[in-house]
Amino acid sequence: MSPSYPRGRAMLRSVLAGGLLIAALCAGADARTLRIASANDPQSMDPHALSLQYQSRVVTQIYEGLVNRSRDFKLEPSLAESWERTAPLAWRFRLRAGVNFHDGTPFTADDAVFSIERAMSRTSQRANQLRGIAGVKKLDAGSIEIRTAETDAVLPEKLWLVAMMSKAWSEKNRVTQPQDYNARQETFAVRHANGTGPFMLERYEADARTVLKANPRWWGRGTPFGGGNLDEAVFVVIQSDATRLAALASKQVDLVLDPPLQDLPRLKADPSIKLVSTADIGTQYLALDQHRAELPDSGVSGRNPFKDRRVRLAVWQAIDTDLIVRQVLRGQGMSTGSAVSPLVEGHVAALDKRPPYDPAAARALLKEAGYADGFRVTLDCVSVSVRAAACQAMASMLEKVGIKVNFQPAPAATFFPKVTQAISSFMEFGWAPGTDAWFVLNTLLRTNDGMFSGAFNGGRYANPKYDALIDAVRVEPDLARRRTLVGEVLRLIRDDVAIIPLYRRQHTWAMRPDVELVQWSNDVAELRWVRVR
């Protein structure tokens, strides 16, 4: 028998510990410091090791790419001042002059070549978006050339979030290859950084805080690329919903990126709190194991129910996403049947209407597929409160049609390697893309090749017709024809139930009224624009 402790006393100790931690994190903050709370840790400072939103929202303040996005989320120059296609298979990028890394060394064409090649390495989760690049070379001190294997209509878009690193710094610290995140590798780049961006890494304490200082030599100061006035930013990890809000109410933090949805009406009525909200460019999905011959621990010997489209459709029809949006998301979202949102180029509005919620039809489909008695499956989910609650609701709904679900929440560090290594039978996850459909569709559903495609194809869906279509999207230069191809891809995904789209969220942030910022639709706040009055 395990030891027993008074519940109230244990809770008090937890609250006091949380309060002391927050106080320590925020000690010495002044009017030019922005303290940002969320439930999630960036996991690593290596900019090529991960392709996760929790990391991107921090690392992109430190490292910059050749391209970035403007206040209205459109592609704009960054460390490349301009680019042009100089031949059918060649692009020239002219680099911005006078840019220095945080250690004072200049950013050069050699660094740009090194960084792109590093991002294409085996252990890089950014390699997936660089599919089709055949090589990169230095043309002169101020420009590089990227060559593609075929005509590539989306090359500049692909370079968003591909960080430029110092070749000399990487060689000195033995990090010329990205961290192998899935193997939990520890390298110098995991806890140290040397970018060119508007903020410099001062300290990274995993699962606690990340402290950034403004870069006084940033090239974007005093230009339209900047405009903020922060001296410091502190990202604080507070996993408890209640403690995050308590920290905001007591002015120990200034911005909460993930306020509990049930508290939004109260926060909206509080004059000391400001809310900002925007539609999510991403979508939440269910992915299903479609590659193993036998579904582990399913109670069905020698078979994998998810290989049968009828079973996948039964799962979709057994889940009432409208109810989840109303009750779990408190109305802060919208059910969808489409794999991409209206903010993504090529979205087809007709596909937003999902198959009807119909448990009777789901049971009939399962019986027709030979699973009248149902089966068992483990549902993996990130242990963020609202997502865990949605997963728990889905597990209950599936149980009613005979699918017995073992709901298994886990922290991001445990969950995401399961997705990229396809060792989960059933998983809920989200993806926030850029504005081009190719990147998300190539990442989530193209046949996984262990390198440049399907990096987050957790169910290992494989369809030669799909692969051919998504490859055609990548190389098609005509915009109208490209939209048509994307529409074909989206219809195929839906018809084949390749994945199950669930809903799109409404991103709402809670902050002090004196904070002014730009809220992107991918749930990221660019600190270069933040002003604290």
Side-chain angles (χ1 to χ4, degrees), residues 89 120 130-136 146-150 152 155:
L89 303 181
M120 293 172 66
L130 299 177
R131 180 181 176 85
I133 292 181
V136 56
I146 298 178
R147 297 195 64 83
T148 59
E150 303 167 278
D152 198 322
L155 181 63

Side-chain angles (χ1 to χ4, degrees), residues 476-494:
E476 177 55 58
D478 181 78
L479 183 58
R481 173 61 182 154
R482 201 163 183 275
R483 284 176 179 155
T484 300
L485 287 169
V486 170
E488 290 183 41
V489 171
L490 295 175
R491 289 185 179 89
L492 186 154
I493 292 169
R494 182 189 174 96

Side-chain angles (χ1 to χ4, degrees), residues 309-320 354-375 397-403:
R309 178 192 176 276
R310 293 169 295 185
V311 174
R312 302 195 297 273
L313 181 57
V315 170
W316 203 352
Q317 292 204 262
I319 296 172
D320 188 348
R354 52 152 286 160
Y357 165 62
D358 192 338
R363 284 191 291 269
L365 283 166
L366 289 171
K367 182 177 180 180
E368 182 183 325
Y371 301 99
D373 296 327
F375 57 91
M397 293 170 183
L398 290 168
E399 183 109 17
K400 292 176 181 178
V401 301
I403 301 175

Side-chain angles (χ1 to χ4, degrees), residues 229-240:
N229 68 355
L230 294 182
D231 298 316
E232 181 182 60
V234 182
F235 289 85
V236 185
V237 179
I238 308 176
Q239 294 184 350
S240 163

Side-chain angles (χ1 to χ4, degrees), residues 277-350:
S277 184
T278 189
D280 189 0
I281 196 171
T283 303
Q284 298 299 123
Y285 310 95
L286 286 175
L288 312 93
D289 178 350
Q290 297 174 58
H291 68 108
R292 286 182 282 198
E294 181 175 314
L295 194 66
D297 303 318
S298 66
V300 180
S301 179
R303 288 186 293 169
N304 180 345
F306 291 147
K307 281 180 170 285
D308 192 316
R309 178 192 176 276
R310 293 169 295 185
V311 174
R312 302 195 297 273
L313 181 57
V315 170
W316 203 352
Q317 292 204 262
I319 296 172
D320 188 348
T321 47
D322 287 336
L323 182 63
I324 291 172
V325 169
R326 285 197 308 272
Q327 293 193 353
V328 179
L329 272 64
R330 308 298 176 107
Q332 298 295 304
M334 178 181 294
S335 294
T336 185
S338 172
V340 300
S341 85
L343 299 175
V344 176
E345 182 69 31
H347 168 262
V348 178

Side-chain angles (χ1 to χ4, degrees), residues 17-215:
L20 290 172
L21 172 63
I22 295 167
L25 297 180
C26 301
D30 57 28
R32 303 289 291 276
T33 294
L34 184 73
R35 299 156 298 181
I36 307 162
S38 80
N40 303 295
D41 183 79
Q43 308 289 317
S44 171
M45 291 295 115
D46 189 322
H48 301 147
L50 289 173
S51 182
L52 299 178
Q53 178 199 60
Y54 306 146
Q55 190 215 31
S56 295
R57 62 164 52 136
V58 177
V59 170
T60 53
Q61 319 298 338
I62 304 166
Y63 287 101
E64 298 173 293
L66 297 180
V67 303
N68 206 342
R69 295 195 178 275
S70 63
R71 290 172 180 261
D72 57 1
F73 209 60
K74 293 180 179 177
L75 204 69
E76 69 174 9
S78 184
L79 294 187
E81 287 189 309
S82 63
W83 52 87
E84 61 180 331
R85 180 182 277 157
T86 55
L89 303 181
W91 291 73
R92 179 171 184 156
F93 288 79
R94 291 180 173 83
L95 306 180
R96 190 174 300 278
V99 175
N100 289 320
F101 286 102
H102 296 157
D103 64 2
T105 59
F107 166 66
T108 68
D110 291 323
D111 298 310
V113 170
F114 164 77
S115 298
I116 293 172
E117 290 178 342
R118 187 182 192 270
M120 293 172 66
S121 301
R122 180 189 60 81
T123 53
S124 168
Q125 288 188 8
R126 291 294 171 196
N128 189 79
Q129 72 192 68
L130 299 177
R131 180 181 176 85
I133 292 181
V136 56
K137 68 177 182 180
K138 173 182 174 180
L139 293 178
D140 54 47
S143 61
I144 65 170
E145 179 182 84
I146 298 178
R147 297 195 64 83
T148 59
E150 303 167 278
T151 303
D152 198 322
V154 293
L155 181 63
E157 285 273 356
K158 287 181 175 182
L159 297 172
W160 180 50
L161 302 178
V162 177
M164 296 293 103
M165 298 181 69
S166 163
K167 180 181 180 182
W169 182 86
S170 299
E171 289 174 342
K172 175 185 175 182
N173 294 296
R174 300 180 181 178
V175 288
T176 55
Q177 293 295 306
Q179 170 205 15
D180 188 339
Y181 176 73
N182 287 341
R184 301 182 184 275
Q185 182 186 22
E186 185 72 24
T187 74
F188 188 80
V190 171
R191 300 180 187 278
H192 303 83
N194 181 35
T196 61
F199 288 83
M200 304 180 291
L201 178 66
E202 179 165 292
R203 183 160 56 258
Y204 169 50
E205 298 170 10
D207 296 315
R209 66 170 174 170
T210 304
V211 181
L212 307 182
K213 294 287 189 182
N215 176 10

